[in-house]
Amino acid sequence: MGCITEVISRLALLYVWIWTPLVNRAFGSNFIVPLLGIIFLPCTTLAYVLVNTPGVGVTGWGWLWVVLGLVLDLGAHSHSTYKNRRRIPRYKTAGDS
């Protein structure tokens, strides 16, 4: 489920970047930050771009959406780590002795 969220948010952010001026308004002429956002934290970057007000920035309840995007990104990254923990040699869980 986390993989689907990450793929959809990356495609949505790429679509918004190509077809609208919202990413350029949010980050200015800097293209490194949105590019890193697509790679590492796509939900957070997408939320930031959508709630950013030109000239003002993100205020009030907009930060709730940015934090929610961060929680989704961290959850997707940690989900794959949790699922693959048994592949690590000599990894013991609480029930193992």
Side-chain angles (χ1 to χ4, degrees), residues 91-97:
Y91 181 83
K92 296 196 183 254
T93 59
D96 296 341
S97 51

Side-chain angles (χ1 to χ4, degrees), residues 56-69:
V56 178
V58 179
T59 59
W61 288 100
W63 283 111
L64 174 71
W65 294 106
V66 174
V67 170
L68 182 63

Side-chain angles (χ1 to χ4, degrees), residues 2-11 40 42-43 72-73 76-77:
C3 181
I4 294 171
T5 304
E6 293 294 312
V7 169
I8 290 173
S9 60
R10 281 185 175 100
L11 290 174
F40 295 111
C43 292
L72 283 172
D73 284 329
H77 290 301

Side-chain angles (χ1 to χ4, degrees), residues 4 7 9 17 23-25 34 39 43 49 51 62 73 75-78 92 95:
I4 294 171
V7 169
S9 60
W17 195 357
V23 175
N24 292 332
R25 287 183 194 165
I39 295 169
C43 292
V49 165
V51 299
D73 284 329
H77 290 301
S78 65
K92 296 196 183 254

Side-chain angles (χ1 to χ4, degrees), residues 1-2 4 6 8 18 23 27 32 34 36 38 41 53-54 58 60 62-63 66 70 78 83 86-87 94 96:
M1 189 68 178
I4 294 171
E6 293 294 312
I8 290 173
I18 291 172
V23 175
F27 296 108
I32 301 278
L36 290 173
I38 287 176
L41 298 171
T53 305
V58 179
W63 283 111
V66 174
L70 180 64
S78 65
K83 285 295 191 183
R86 300 240 181 222
R87 293 183 181 188
D96 296 341

Side-chain angles (χ1 to χ4, degrees), residues 12-35 38 45-46 48-50 52:
L13 183 57
L14 191 62
Y15 178 82
V16 168
W17 195 357
I18 291 172
W19 296 104
T20 68
L22 294 176
V23 175
N24 292 332
R25 287 183 194 165
F27 296 108
S29 61
N30 186 2
F31 72 93
I32 301 278
V33 175
L35 184 64
I38 287 176
T45 309
L46 182 63
Y48 182 82
V49 165
L50 293 178
N52 187 24

